[in-house]
Amino acid sequence: MIMEKRVYIETYGCQMNEHDTERILRLLEVSHYLETKNAKEADFILINTCSVREKPEHKVYSALGRYKWLKERRGAIIGVAGCVAQQEGGKLLDRIPYLDMVIGTHAIPMIPQLLQRIEISGERVCETSFDQDGKYLEAILPQNSPVVGSIRLDKVKSYVTIMQGCDHFCSFCIVPYVRGREKSRSSQEIIEEVRHLAEMGVKEIFLLGQNVNSYGKGLGEEISFSELLGYLDQIEGIERIRFTTSHPKDLSEELIQAFSKLPKLCEHIHLPFQSGSDRILKTMHRGYTKESYLKKIGHLKEVCPSIALTADVIVGFPGEGEEDFKETIDLMEKVQFDDLFSFKYSPRKGTRAAQFMDKVEEKVKQDRLSILQEIQRGITLRKNQELEGCIEEVLVEGQSKQSAQDVAGRTRSNKIVNFQGDLNLVGKLVPVQITKAYQHSLRGEMIPTHCRLENTPAYQ
Ligand code: SAM
Ligand code: SF4
């Protein structure tokens, strides 16, 4: 009889990391490791880490400290994966004597084999080499699946990695160092994976990459990101397509037009601007100006008036003065983002900006962040309130966190809607009238079937 063991994974950081965790769980299923949500009963504890900013990096060390006793008491195997593992490599083993495994960002497929080595010989392992063949990008199948290539987050929506790594080298960013150079997966592989997901009942796919709009670079085939979207749009069973992240510099006219041409492409784009000051954008090495960013946003709004816009912004980058910060606020006010992810600049060892001299004081960074977030809260609430009374297409994802009588789903613009309904609705597209807008979600009422307009196939 095969002994089943338990794996507990703690995930930090972006969607790419969440997706990597899913892939690791699939891989480990084959080695008879089943997921547990309770670290205390795990035979293998893995921390999947993020090093984009200092805060998530620090969390890794405190998480490791929390699990030390499980190593001592139960002999659990403890590992670190992701960006911190890639960045620190063998130094982590030196620093943390009870750590067994360090797994870099390209080494995920090797985890079962390394785990077996630890189980047999008790040796401590570190694998952080970059894989040039792109094997680390291959889809990892759910066990016993008859079709090649797929991961499933849940039945309704699924992430699909289309490329990894980045060639941009923005001066503040660690990603090119820890995820490696840009590498795209072949369109054939991606299409097969998405077809398989559709067969499994997935309705929404979320395409992932550090810079999806340079998809195709270095592939043996002539294909742009927009062309890939065009192929995916034709796959039966898939109702919605989303993607992240796009770089403003590479946002092509073809991609902007895709928002009006492809029916399944949701009306939402996440387009990080980082700063509104041309001087700062230049030292960040972003490759666009405030004006050219605003021009692209204007064009997106012309082509797709209902498009929802979100972005990332950094405050307190070295050299950022009051005037620069005002430019950032001005850009935000001009665009009116639906939501913003805002960060204080955090120096990352090995990046160019970490060497810049004119650092901004911590208190100034914090004050600027608070001002910016306060303004954005007002804009977000107002944008949500604009939807009151409107009927939105909602893809139902599961039970609402707020009440057992409610279900929750998302609009095409990616806003969460809670409404009364039962779990039979999960996976369905339903029309919901928005009755109340809040800061982070919307409340609504489903339009009963007999009141729906004919000829709206999505709702039938
Ligand atoms: N590729 C995406 C782009 O260029 O827009 C961003 C990917 S990065 C993992 C996610 C976000 O983290 C960035 O958009 C940026 O706002 C933030 N970020 C990255 N490095 C940072 C740093 N050193 N300090 C603060 N925020 C940072
Ligand atoms: Fe980092 Fe810039 Fe690449 Fe985005 S584009 S991942 S911010 S280097």
Side-chain angles (χ1 to χ4, degrees), residues 6 66 70 74 85 87 106 179 190 228 236 243 246 308 317 322 371 393 412:
R6 302 275 153 189
R66 266 200 314 280
L70 288 168
R74 303 191 64 245
Q87 186 182 293
H106 289 201
R179 289 271 175 185
I190 298 168
L228 177 72
E236 211 177 308
F243 60 83
S246 322
F317 187 74
E322 274 309 314
I371 294 169
E393 178 200 274
R412 285 178 64 95

mmCIF file with all atom_site columns, all heavy atoms in Angstrom, residues 6 66 70 74 85 87 106 179 190 228 236 243 246 308 317 322 371 393 412:
data_model
loop_
_atom_site.group_PDB
_atom_site.id
_atom_site.type_symbol
_atom_site.label_atom_id
_atom_site.label_alt_id
_atom_site.label_comp_id
_atom_site.label_asym_id
_atom_site.label_entity_id
_atom_site.label_seq_id
_atom_site.pdbx_PDB_ins_code
_atom_site.Cartn_x
_atom_site.Cartn_y
_atom_site.Cartn_z
_atom_site.occupancy
_atom_site.B_iso_or_equiv
_atom_site.pdbx_formal_charge
_atom_site.auth_seq_id
_atom_site.auth_comp_id
_atom_site.auth_asym_id
_atom_site.auth_atom_id
_atom_site.pdbx_PDB_model_num
ATOM 1   N N   . ARG A 1 6   ? 1.381   14.491 3.318   1.00 0.00 ? 6   ARG A N   1
ATOM 2   C CA  . ARG A 1 6   ? 0.698   15.797 3.228   1.00 0.00 ? 6   ARG A CA  1
ATOM 3   C C   . ARG A 1 6   ? 1.690   16.908 2.927   1.00 0.00 ? 6   ARG A C   1
ATOM 4   O O   . ARG A 1 6   ? 2.793   16.930 3.482   1.00 0.00 ? 6   ARG A O   1
ATOM 5   C CB  . ARG A 1 6   ? 0.019   16.149 4.556   1.00 0.00 ? 6   ARG A CB  1
ATOM 6   C CG  . ARG A 1 6   ? -0.975  15.148 5.025   1.00 0.00 ? 6   ARG A CG  1
ATOM 7   C CD  . ARG A 1 6   ? -2.328  15.390 4.416   1.00 0.00 ? 6   ARG A CD  1
ATOM 8   N NE  . ARG A 1 6   ? -3.047  14.138 4.350   1.00 0.00 ? 6   ARG A NE  1
ATOM 9   C CZ  . ARG A 1 6   ? -4.192  13.968 3.717   1.00 0.00 ? 6   ARG A CZ  1
ATOM 10  N NH1 . ARG A 1 6   ? -4.740  14.962 3.063   1.00 0.00 ? 6   ARG A NH1 1
ATOM 11  N NH2 . ARG A 1 6   ? -4.784  12.799 3.706   1.00 0.00 ? 6   ARG A NH2 1
ATOM 12  N N   . ARG A 1 66  ? 8.430   30.187 12.158  1.00 0.00 ? 66  ARG A N   1
ATOM 13  C CA  . ARG A 1 66  ? 7.189   29.594 12.685  1.00 0.00 ? 66  ARG A CA  1
ATOM 14  C C   . ARG A 1 66  ? 7.161   28.077 12.536  1.00 0.00 ? 66  ARG A C   1
ATOM 15  O O   . ARG A 1 66  ? 6.539   27.388 13.313  1.00 0.00 ? 66  ARG A O   1
ATOM 16  C CB  . ARG A 1 66  ? 5.995   30.162 11.909  1.00 0.00 ? 66  ARG A CB  1
ATOM 17  C CG  . ARG A 1 66  ? 5.340   31.351 12.553  1.00 0.00 ? 66  ARG A CG  1
ATOM 18  C CD  . ARG A 1 66  ? 3.931   31.591 12.064  1.00 0.00 ? 66  ARG A CD  1
ATOM 19  N NE  . ARG A 1 66  ? 3.691   31.529 10.640  1.00 0.00 ? 66  ARG A NE  1
ATOM 20  C CZ  . ARG A 1 66  ? 3.938   32.488 9.769   1.00 0.00 ? 66  ARG A CZ  1
ATOM 21  N NH1 . ARG A 1 66  ? 4.497   33.610 10.178  1.00 0.00 ? 66  ARG A NH1 1
ATOM 22  N NH2 . ARG A 1 66  ? 3.648   32.357 8.490   1.00 0.00 ? 66  ARG A NH2 1
ATOM 23  N N   . LEU A 1 70  ? 8.105   22.284 13.802  1.00 0.00 ? 70  LEU A N   1
ATOM 24  C CA  . LEU A 1 70  ? 7.521   21.131 13.112  1.00 0.00 ? 70  LEU A CA  1
ATOM 25  C C   . LEU A 1 70  ? 8.605   20.228 12.540  1.00 0.00 ? 70  LEU A C   1
ATOM 26  O O   . LEU A 1 70  ? 8.437   19.033 12.409  1.00 0.00 ? 70  LEU A O   1
ATOM 27  C CB  . LEU A 1 70  ? 6.572   21.604 12.006  1.00 0.00 ? 70  LEU A CB  1
ATOM 28  C CG  . LEU A 1 70  ? 5.270   22.199 12.534  1.00 0.00 ? 70  LEU A CG  1
ATOM 29  C CD1 . LEU A 1 70  ? 4.506   22.918 11.448  1.00 0.00 ? 70  LEU A CD1 1
ATOM 30  C CD2 . LEU A 1 70  ? 4.411   21.089 13.146  1.00 0.00 ? 70  LEU A CD2 1
ATOM 31  N N   . ARG A 1 74  ? 8.205   16.828 14.315  1.00 0.00 ? 74  ARG A N   1
ATOM 32  C CA  . ARG A 1 74  ? 7.615   15.817 13.423  1.00 0.00 ? 74  ARG A CA  1
ATOM 33  C C   . ARG A 1 74  ? 8.544   15.403 12.285  1.00 0.00 ? 74  ARG A C   1
ATOM 34  O O   . ARG A 1 74  ? 8.193   14.600 11.442  1.00 0.00 ? 74  ARG A O   1
ATOM 35  C CB  . ARG A 1 74  ? 6.330   16.364 12.786  1.00 0.00 ? 74  ARG A CB  1
ATOM 36  C CG  . ARG A 1 74  ? 5.284   16.810 13.770  1.00 0.00 ? 74  ARG A CG  1
ATOM 37  C CD  . ARG A 1 74  ? 3.957   17.088 13.097  1.00 0.00 ? 74  ARG A CD  1
ATOM 38  N NE  . ARG A 1 74  ? 3.399   15.891 12.502  1.00 0.00 ? 74  ARG A NE  1
ATOM 39  C CZ  . ARG A 1 74  ? 3.219   15.701 11.205  1.00 0.00 ? 74  ARG A CZ  1
ATOM 40  N NH1 . ARG A 1 74  ? 3.536   16.648 10.347  1.00 0.00 ? 74  ARG A NH1 1
ATOM 41  N NH2 . ARG A 1 74  ? 2.705   14.580 10.753  1.00 0.00 ? 74  ARG A NH2 1
ATOM 42  N N   . ALA A 1 85  ? 14.159  32.241 -3.119  1.00 0.00 ? 85  ALA A N   1
ATOM 43  C CA  . ALA A 1 85  ? 14.999  31.043 -3.283  1.00 0.00 ? 85  ALA A CA  1
ATOM 44  C C   . ALA A 1 85  ? 15.973  31.264 -4.443  1.00 0.00 ? 85  ALA A C   1
ATOM 45  O O   . ALA A 1 85  ? 17.174  30.970 -4.333  1.00 0.00 ? 85  ALA A O   1
ATOM 46  C CB  . ALA A 1 85  ? 14.118  29.823 -3.553  1.00 0.00 ? 85  ALA A CB  1
ATOM 47  N N   . GLN A 1 87  ? 17.015  34.090 -5.653  1.00 0.00 ? 87  GLN A N   1
ATOM 48  C CA  . GLN A 1 87  ? 17.933  35.188 -5.337  1.00 0.00 ? 87  GLN A CA  1
ATOM 49  C C   . GLN A 1 87  ? 19.019  34.772 -4.336  1.00 0.00 ? 87  GLN A C   1
ATOM 50  O O   . GLN A 1 87  ? 20.182  35.067 -4.521  1.00 0.00 ? 87  GLN A O   1
ATOM 51  C CB  . GLN A 1 87  ? 17.076  36.300 -4.741  1.00 0.00 ? 87  GLN A CB  1
ATOM 52  C CG  . GLN A 1 87  ? 17.738  37.597 -4.460  1.00 0.00 ? 87  GLN A CG  1
ATOM 53  C CD  . GLN A 1 87  ? 16.712  38.525 -3.818  1.00 0.00 ? 87  GLN A CD  1
ATOM 54  O OE1 . GLN A 1 87  ? 15.754  38.938 -4.443  1.00 0.00 ? 87  GLN A OE1 1
ATOM 55  N NE2 . GLN A 1 87  ? 16.899  38.825 -2.555  1.00 0.00 ? 87  GLN A NE2 1
ATOM 56  N N   . HIS A 1 106 ? 12.980  28.269 -11.925 1.00 0.00 ? 106 HIS A N   1
ATOM 57  C CA  . HIS A 1 106 ? 12.915  27.387 -13.094 1.00 0.00 ? 106 HIS A CA  1
ATOM 58  C C   . HIS A 1 106 ? 12.969  25.905 -12.706 1.00 0.00 ? 106 HIS A C   1
ATOM 59  O O   . HIS A 1 106 ? 13.035  25.045 -13.578 1.00 0.00 ? 106 HIS A O   1
ATOM 60  C CB  . HIS A 1 106 ? 14.083  27.672 -14.046 1.00 0.00 ? 106 HIS A CB  1
ATOM 61  C CG  . HIS A 1 106 ? 13.955  28.977 -14.761 1.00 0.00 ? 106 HIS A CG  1
ATOM 62  N ND1 . HIS A 1 106 ? 14.623  29.255 -15.938 1.00 0.00 ? 106 HIS A ND1 1
ATOM 63  C CD2 . HIS A 1 106 ? 13.226  30.083 -14.492 1.00 0.00 ? 106 HIS A CD2 1
ATOM 64  C CE1 . HIS A 1 106 ? 14.321  30.478 -16.337 1.00 0.00 ? 106 HIS A CE1 1
ATOM 65  N NE2 . HIS A 1 106 ? 13.481  30.998 -15.459 1.00 0.00 ? 106 HIS A NE2 1
ATOM 66  N N   . ARG A 1 179 ? 13.544  35.779 -12.290 1.00 0.00 ? 179 ARG A N   1
ATOM 67  C CA  . ARG A 1 179 ? 12.697  34.957 -13.175 1.00 0.00 ? 179 ARG A CA  1
ATOM 68  C C   . ARG A 1 179 ? 13.402  34.692 -14.510 1.00 0.00 ? 179 ARG A C   1
ATOM 69  O O   . ARG A 1 179 ? 12.881  33.955 -15.347 1.00 0.00 ? 179 ARG A O   1
ATOM 70  C CB  . ARG A 1 179 ? 11.358  35.648 -13.441 1.00 0.00 ? 179 ARG A CB  1
ATOM 71  C CG  . ARG A 1 179 ? 10.431  35.664 -12.241 1.00 0.00 ? 179 ARG A CG  1
ATOM 72  C CD  . ARG A 1 179 ? 9.555   34.426 -12.206 1.00 0.00 ? 179 ARG A CD  1
ATOM 73  N NE  . ARG A 1 179 ? 8.733   34.365 -11.007 1.00 0.00 ? 179 ARG A NE  1
ATOM 74  C CZ  . ARG A 1 179 ? 7.951   33.342 -10.703 1.00 0.00 ? 179 ARG A CZ  1
ATOM 75  N NH1 . ARG A 1 179 ? 7.856   32.289 -11.493 1.00 0.00 ? 179 ARG A NH1 1
ATOM 76  N NH2 . ARG A 1 179 ? 7.250   33.331 -9.606  1.00 0.00 ? 179 ARG A NH2 1
ATOM 77  N N   . ILE A 1 190 ? -0.220  26.372 -25.749 1.00 0.00 ? 190 ILE A N   1
ATOM 78  C CA  . ILE A 1 190 ? -1.181  27.194 -24.981 1.00 0.00 ? 190 ILE A CA  1
ATOM 79  C C   . ILE A 1 190 ? -2.612  26.867 -25.426 1.00 0.00 ? 190 ILE A C   1
ATOM 80  O O   . ILE A 1 190 ? -3.513  26.675 -24.601 1.00 0.00 ? 190 ILE A O   1
ATOM 81  C CB  . ILE A 1 190 ? -0.874  28.699 -25.172 1.00 0.00 ? 190 ILE A CB  1
ATOM 82  C CG1 . ILE A 1 190 ? 0.521   29.018 -24.624 1.00 0.00 ? 190 ILE A CG1 1
ATOM 83  C CG2 . ILE A 1 190 ? -1.936  29.572 -24.526 1.00 0.00 ? 190 ILE A CG2 1
ATOM 84  C CD1 . ILE A 1 190 ? 1.048   30.397 -25.001 1.00 0.00 ? 190 ILE A CD1 1
ATOM 85  N N   . LEU A 1 228 ? -2.506  35.612 -30.685 1.00 0.00 ? 228 LEU A N   1
ATOM 86  C CA  . LEU A 1 228 ? -2.772  34.508 -29.749 1.00 0.00 ? 228 LEU A CA  1
ATOM 87  C C   . LEU A 1 228 ? -4.166  34.681 -29.138 1.00 0.00 ? 228 LEU A C   1
ATOM 88  O O   . LEU A 1 228 ? -4.953  33.734 -29.062 1.00 0.00 ? 228 LEU A O   1
ATOM 89  C CB  . LEU A 1 228 ? -1.706  34.484 -28.640 1.00 0.00 ? 228 LEU A CB  1
ATOM 90  C CG  . LEU A 1 228 ? -1.930  33.423 -27.567 1.00 0.00 ? 228 LEU A CG  1
ATOM 91  C CD1 . LEU A 1 228 ? -1.654  32.019 -28.099 1.00 0.00 ? 228 LEU A CD1 1
ATOM 92  C CD2 . LEU A 1 228 ? -1.046  33.671 -26.337 1.00 0.00 ? 228 LEU A CD2 1
ATOM 93  N N   . GLU A 1 236 ? -14.286 26.964 -28.052 1.00 0.00 ? 236 GLU A N   1
ATOM 94  C CA  . GLU A 1 236 ? -15.638 26.744 -27.548 1.00 0.00 ? 236 GLU A CA  1
ATOM 95  C C   . GLU A 1 236 ? -15.610 26.399 -26.058 1.00 0.00 ? 236 GLU A C   1
ATOM 96  O O   . GLU A 1 236 ? -14.751 25.624 -25.623 1.00 0.00 ? 236 GLU A O   1
ATOM 97  C CB  . GLU A 1 236 ? -16.245 25.572 -28.311 1.00 0.00 ? 236 GLU A CB  1
ATOM 98  C CG  . GLU A 1 236 ? -17.740 25.708 -28.446 1.00 0.00 ? 236 GLU A CG  1
ATOM 99  C CD  . GLU A 1 236 ? -18.289 24.564 -29.268 1.00 0.00 ? 236 GLU A CD  1
ATOM 100 O OE1 . GLU A 1 236 ? -17.769 24.329 -30.389 1.00 0.00 ? 236 GLU A OE1 1
ATOM 101 O OE2 . GLU A 1 236 ? -19.196 23.907 -28.753 1.00 0.00 ? 236 GLU A OE2 1
ATOM 102 N N   . PHE A 1 243 ? -5.918  39.010 -19.043 1.00 0.00 ? 243 PHE A N   1
ATOM 103 C CA  . PHE A 1 243 ? -4.469  38.841 -19.046 1.00 0.00 ? 243 PHE A CA  1
ATOM 104 C C   . PHE A 1 243 ? -3.815  39.866 -18.131 1.00 0.00 ? 243 PHE A C   1
ATOM 105 O O   . PHE A 1 243 ? -4.374  40.912 -17.835 1.00 0.00 ? 243 PHE A O   1
ATOM 106 C CB  . PHE A 1 243 ? -3.902  38.958 -20.474 1.00 0.00 ? 243 PHE A CB  1
ATOM 107 C CG  . PHE A 1 243 ? -4.169  40.281 -21.144 1.00 0.00 ? 243 PHE A CG  1
ATOM 108 C CD1 . PHE A 1 243 ? -3.368  41.391 -20.915 1.00 0.00 ? 243 PHE A CD1 1
ATOM 109 C CD2 . PHE A 1 243 ? -5.234  40.412 -22.024 1.00 0.00 ? 243 PHE A CD2 1
ATOM 110 C CE1 . PHE A 1 243 ? -3.625  42.608 -21.532 1.00 0.00 ? 243 PHE A CE1 1
ATOM 111 C CE2 . PHE A 1 243 ? -5.488  41.629 -22.648 1.00 0.00 ? 243 PHE A CE2 1
ATOM 112 C CZ  . PHE A 1 243 ? -4.688  42.722 -22.397 1.00 0.00 ? 243 PHE A CZ  1
ATOM 113 N N   . SER A 1 246 ? 0.594   43.997 -18.668 1.00 0.00 ? 246 SER A N   1
ATOM 114 C CA  . SER A 1 246 ? 1.024   44.633 -19.923 1.00 0.00 ? 246 SER A CA  1
ATOM 115 C C   . SER A 1 246 ? 1.963   45.770 -19.584 1.00 0.00 ? 246 SER A C   1
ATOM 116 O O   . SER A 1 246 ? 1.794   46.437 -18.569 1.00 0.00 ? 246 SER A O   1
ATOM 117 C CB  . SER A 1 246 ? -0.147  45.263 -20.635 1.00 0.00 ? 246 SER A CB  1
ATOM 118 O OG  . SER A 1 246 ? -1.276  44.478 -20.517 1.00 0.00 ? 246 SER A OG  1
ATOM 119 N N   . ALA A 1 308 ? -12.353 49.015 -17.989 1.00 0.00 ? 308 ALA A N   1
ATOM 120 C CA  . ALA A 1 308 ? -11.917 49.323 -16.623 1.00 0.00 ? 308 ALA A CA  1
ATOM 121 C C   . ALA A 1 308 ? -10.391 49.363 -16.625 1.00 0.00 ? 308 ALA A C   1
ATOM 122 O O   . ALA A 1 308 ? -9.743  48.550 -17.289 1.00 0.00 ? 308 ALA A O   1
ATOM 123 C CB  . ALA A 1 308 ? -12.405 48.240 -15.667 1.00 0.00 ? 308 ALA A CB  1
ATOM 124 N N   . PHE A 1 317 ? 10.429  56.936 -5.196  1.00 0.00 ? 317 PHE A N   1
ATOM 125 C CA  . PHE A 1 317 ? 11.592  56.454 -5.949  1.00 0.00 ? 317 PHE A CA  1
ATOM 126 C C   . PHE A 1 317 ? 12.723  57.473 -5.756  1.00 0.00 ? 317 PHE A C   1
ATOM 127 O O   . PHE A 1 317 ? 12.464  58.670 -5.622  1.00 0.00 ? 317 PHE A O   1
ATOM 128 C CB  . PHE A 1 317 ? 11.203  56.334 -7.437  1.00 0.00 ? 317 PHE A CB  1
ATOM 129 C CG  . PHE A 1 317 ? 12.248  55.687 -8.289  1.00 0.00 ? 317 PHE A CG  1
ATOM 130 C CD1 . PHE A 1 317 ? 12.458  54.315 -8.225  1.00 0.00 ? 317 PHE A CD1 1
ATOM 131 C CD2 . PHE A 1 317 ? 13.050  56.449 -9.129  1.00 0.00 ? 317 PHE A CD2 1
ATOM 132 C CE1 . PHE A 1 317 ? 13.445  53.713 -8.987  1.00 0.00 ? 317 PHE A CE1 1
ATOM 133 C CE2 . PHE A 1 317 ? 14.033  55.852 -9.901  1.00 0.00 ? 317 PHE A CE2 1
ATOM 134 C CZ  . PHE A 1 317 ? 14.230  54.483 -9.824  1.00 0.00 ? 317 PHE A CZ  1
ATOM 135 N N   . GLU A 1 322 ? 8.630   66.894 -4.694  1.00 0.00 ? 322 GLU A N   1
ATOM 136 C CA  . GLU A 1 322 ? 7.200   67.232 -4.606  1.00 0.00 ? 322 GLU A CA  1
ATOM 137 C C   . GLU A 1 322 ? 6.566   67.408 -5.976  1.00 0.00 ? 322 GLU A C   1
ATOM 138 O O   . GLU A 1 322 ? 5.443   66.983 -6.224  1.00 0.00 ? 322 GLU A O   1
ATOM 139 C CB  . GLU A 1 322 ? 7.011   68.513 -3.782  1.00 0.00 ? 322 GLU A CB  1
ATOM 140 C CG  . GLU A 1 322 ? 6.918   68.286 -2.281  1.00 0.00 ? 322 GLU A CG  1
ATOM 141 C CD  . GLU A 1 322 ? 5.883   67.219 -1.872  1.00 0.00 ? 322 GLU A CD  1
ATOM 142 O OE1 . GLU A 1 322 ? 4.743   67.244 -2.381  1.00 0.00 ? 322 GLU A OE1 1
ATOM 143 O OE2 . GLU A 1 322 ? 6.234   66.347 -1.062  1.00 0.00 ? 322 GLU A OE2 1
ATOM 144 N N   . ILE A 1 371 ? -1.481  60.013 0.925   1.00 0.00 ? 371 ILE A N   1
ATOM 145 C CA  . ILE A 1 371 ? -2.220  61.013 0.122   1.00 0.00 ? 371 ILE A CA  1
ATOM 146 C C   . ILE A 1 371 ? -2.785  60.343 -1.136  1.00 0.00 ? 371 ILE A C   1
ATOM 147 O O   . ILE A 1 371 ? -3.959  60.462 -1.476  1.00 0.00 ? 371 ILE A O   1
ATOM 148 C CB  . ILE A 1 371 ? -1.286  62.189 -0.279  1.00 0.00 ? 371 ILE A CB  1
ATOM 149 C CG1 . ILE A 1 371 ? -0.872  62.968 0.965   1.00 0.00 ? 371 ILE A CG1 1
ATOM 150 C CG2 . ILE A 1 371 ? -1.935  63.108 -1.317  1.00 0.00 ? 371 ILE A CG2 1
ATOM 151 C CD1 . ILE A 1 371 ? 0.246   63.993 0.737   1.00 0.00 ? 371 ILE A CD1 1
ATOM 152 N N   . GLU A 1 393 ? -23.054 41.607 -16.572 1.00 0.00 ? 393 GLU A N   1
ATOM 153 C CA  . GLU A 1 393 ? -22.899 40.161 -16.745 1.00 0.00 ? 393 GLU A CA  1
ATOM 154 C C   . GLU A 1 393 ? -21.924 39.669 -15.670 1.00 0.00 ? 393 GLU A C   1
ATOM 155 O O   . GLU A 1 393 ? -20.801 40.171 -15.588 1.00 0.00 ? 393 GLU A O   1
ATOM 156 C CB  . GLU A 1 393 ? -22.327 39.879 -18.131 1.00 0.00 ? 393 GLU A CB  1
ATOM 157 C CG  . GLU A 1 393 ? -22.087 38.407 -18.375 1.00 0.00 ? 393 GLU A CG  1
ATOM 158 C CD  . GLU A 1 393 ? -21.093 38.151 -19.506 1.00 0.00 ? 393 GLU A CD  1
ATOM 159 O OE1 . GLU A 1 393 ? -21.514 38.114 -20.661 1.00 0.00 ? 393 GLU A OE1 1
ATOM 160 O OE2 . GLU A 1 393 ? -19.886 37.981 -19.205 1.00 0.00 ? 393 GLU A OE2 1
ATOM 161 N N   . ARG A 1 412 ? -17.458 41.712 -16.077 1.00 0.00 ? 412 ARG A N   1
ATOM 162 C CA  . ARG A 1 412 ? -16.414 41.644 -17.106 1.00 0.00 ? 412 ARG A CA  1
ATOM 163 C C   . ARG A 1 412 ? -15.288 42.626 -16.761 1.00 0.00 ? 412 ARG A C   1
ATOM 164 O O   . ARG A 1 412 ? -14.141 42.407 -17.096 1.00 0.00 ? 412 ARG A O   1
ATOM 165 C CB  . ARG A 1 412 ? -17.004 41.950 -18.486 1.00 0.00 ? 412 ARG A CB  1
ATOM 166 C CG  . ARG A 1 412 ? -17.818 40.770 -19.022 1.00 0.00 ? 412 ARG A CG  1
ATOM 167 C CD  . ARG A 1 412 ? -18.429 41.096 -20.359 1.00 0.00 ? 412 ARG A CD  1
ATOM 168 N NE  . ARG A 1 412 ? -17.449 41.326 -21.411 1.00 0.00 ? 412 ARG A NE  1
ATOM 169 C CZ  . ARG A 1 412 ? -17.020 40.403 -22.274 1.00 0.00 ? 412 ARG A CZ  1
ATOM 170 N NH1 . ARG A 1 412 ? -17.494 39.167 -22.201 1.00 0.00 ? 412 ARG A NH1 1
ATOM 171 N NH2 . ARG A 1 412 ? -16.146 40.716 -23.214 1.00 0.00 ? 412 ARG A NH2 1
#
